[in-house]
Amino acid sequence: MKKLALFLGVLLVISIIAVGCGGNDNPVDKKDNGDTEVVEYKDGKYFAMQDSFDEKTGWKYEVTVNVEDSKIVEVNWSATHKDGGTDKKTRSEDGEYGMVQNGNAQWPWHEQAQKVEEYLVETQDPTDIEYIDDEGRTDAISGASINVKKFFELAEEALKGAK
């Protein structure tokens, strides 16, 4: 009886894993190389931008993804403000976007954005991220306490052209 219960328990776990690994809405081809899945993209430069400016902040985010040899090699995440001027990353680099001084952040926006960009280059998959709250923050990226959900949504949208 114990062996039957153990067998059924293992079978249940395997079934749950199989269902959880089911559908793949990722916009790229994944090929199994034996040990891990390798994501392959078409070479090119891919871009996505939010449709409208955020009513609260005035920013409209944009992501550019460069793919070479079927791999994401460079990512740029920034934003345009409704009032014009330089982009968000440039403002942060120039000290004009005071997250640290005025918002009690540990790191400036551009440094956190760079960590997020590097994470995507490392993982090669914009869907490979877990959020810890409804605002889109994550514990998966050390050094990034900002909302990253918009970035990953835009990166996924941009990479739809890389099918």
Side-chain angles (χ1 to χ4, degrees), residues 4-100:
L4 178 62
L6 178 63
F7 173 76
L8 291 175
V10 169
L11 185 62
L12 178 63
V13 169
I14 291 171
S15 298
I16 290 171
I17 291 171
V19 170
C21 295
N24 180 5
D25 294 334
N26 193 3
V28 298
D29 294 329
K30 288 189 172 188
K31 296 185 179 179
D32 192 349
N33 73 355
D35 295 329
T36 60
E37 289 183 313
V38 177
V39 180
E40 292 190 5
Y41 301 97
K42 287 184 192 175
D43 288 2
K45 192 173 202 173
Y46 302 95
F47 177 82
M49 177 184 272
Q50 285 182 296
D51 293 331
S52 58
F53 293 97
D54 184 282
E55 290 181 22
K56 182 179 174 186
T57 66
W59 293 107
K60 183 191 313 188
Y61 288 95
E62 58 196 50
V63 172
T64 304
V65 182
N66 291 331
V67 176
E68 294 177 7
D69 298 323
S70 302
K71 297 287 184 193
I72 298 170
V73 294
E74 182 181 28
V75 182
N76 185 47
W77 178 29
S78 196
T80 303
H81 198 272
K82 67 179 181 176
D83 295 334
T86 57
D87 66 295
K88 189 171 188 174
K89 188 178 279 185
T90 302
R91 285 187 194 186
S92 178
E93 290 168 345
D94 292 345
E96 297 171 11
Y97 188 74
M99 277 183 56
V100 174

